[in-house]
Amino acid sequence: MCRWAAYLGEAIFLEEIVTAPSHSLIVQSRDAREAKSPTNADGFGLAWYGGRPEPGLYRDILPAWSDPNLKSLCQQIRSGLFLAHVRASTGGGTGRMNCHPFISGRWSFMHNGQIHGFERIRRGLENSLSDAVYDRRSGSTDSELFFLLMIDEGLSRDPHGAATRAANRVLDASRRAGLDPALKLTAAFSDGKALHAVRYATDDHAPTLYTSAFGRGRCIVSEPFDREGGEWQAIPPSSFVTITRDGMVVRPFTPALAELALAS
């Protein structure tokens, strides 16, 4: 599965997280320690916020460790809010449009996880999108589709609720297809102001998620990039995290329970 890192705080060079640390995201692209596969070589991407509401975006299909442009950009770009991702495909071809992060307007999104049985429920989920949101679909991954489901569910007004309702749409589609609902979701997303993250799985094996203070800001990552100097806090499963410049809030994220409550 994929590895990713996100940061919110005082502007720093992207290299301070993406390329420079001893277990940086670039190192994790070929030697991840807490993923099912140690190699994440199916592309990479950066989304960063600067002087405009919409994020900048750079994605490519090369392994992150072999792209000199990525290293150069990280040495030159300073940002107070950015998302970085290295991909290990669990579905969808290796193409630029399938690399994370995905952006729509001011929103950016990246993901580590999988929708079980995606090919059996993909068409129904895509058809359930409003026309305006469906027109934003450019790739073929379950990750991008989940992002669009969140937008369709009111992401700009209610990030926590939109993620919960999107997860319920996936679980309901699985049931209707005769599948045992199985979803792994560890994602980060931002509107350029707050940084949100979710860690959830329908089983007991949610993909890892950690957070730590970093300088005058805070990181949230798939796995620590500095195991010697950082004080990393594991985010519990079934959690929704919101990081702002005023601090961090962790709330429960229990879509299946929310669905049961509505049905009762």
Side-chain angles (χ1 to χ4, degrees), residues 89-244:
S89 175
T90 56
T94 301
R96 189 174 286 111
M97 293 299 102
N98 286 337
C99 293
H100 311 219
F102 305 98
I103 64 172
S104 179
R106 70 179 188 272
W107 284 94
S108 56
F109 173 92
M110 61 185 179
H111 175 233
N112 172 36
Q114 187 176 18
I115 298 173
H116 174 69
F118 177 61
E119 291 305 320
R120 293 194 38 195
I121 64 175
R122 171 182 170 179
R123 181 176 178 181
L125 288 172
E126 289 180 338
N127 289 344
S128 75
L129 294 171
S130 66
D131 289 343
V133 174
Y134 180 82
D135 286 344
R136 306 181 198 184
R137 178 85 153 139
S138 60
S140 58
T141 65
D142 54 352
S143 301
E144 183 195 29
L145 181 53
F146 193 87
F147 178 38
L148 295 178
L149 289 169
M150 289 170 56
I151 292 172
D152 210 40
E153 289 290 351
L155 177 61
S156 62
R157 301 184 304 274
D158 177 16
H160 180 275
T164 301
R165 292 186 291 271
N168 280 332
R169 281 169 73 166
V170 170
L171 298 176
D172 184 58
S174 296
R175 294 187 190 98
R176 286 188 279 106
L179 301 172
D180 289 332
L183 172 64
K184 292 185 183 297
L185 176 68
T186 298
F189 45 101
S190 178
D191 61 353
K193 298 178 181 178
L195 175 60
H196 307 280
V198 59
R199 183 186 182 202
Y200 174 76
T202 49
D203 59 19
D204 295 328
H205 304 288
T208 55
L209 187 63
Y210 296 87
T211 186
S212 177
F214 186 79
R216 296 186 179 181
R218 177 164 290 274
C219 294
I220 192 156
V221 301
S222 293
E223 64 180 76
F225 54 76
D226 182 355
R227 293 175 179 274
E228 296 178 358
E231 295 183 1
W232 295 98
Q233 169 191 351
I235 299 296
S238 299
S239 293
F240 187 94
V241 183
T242 298
I243 300 171
T244 67

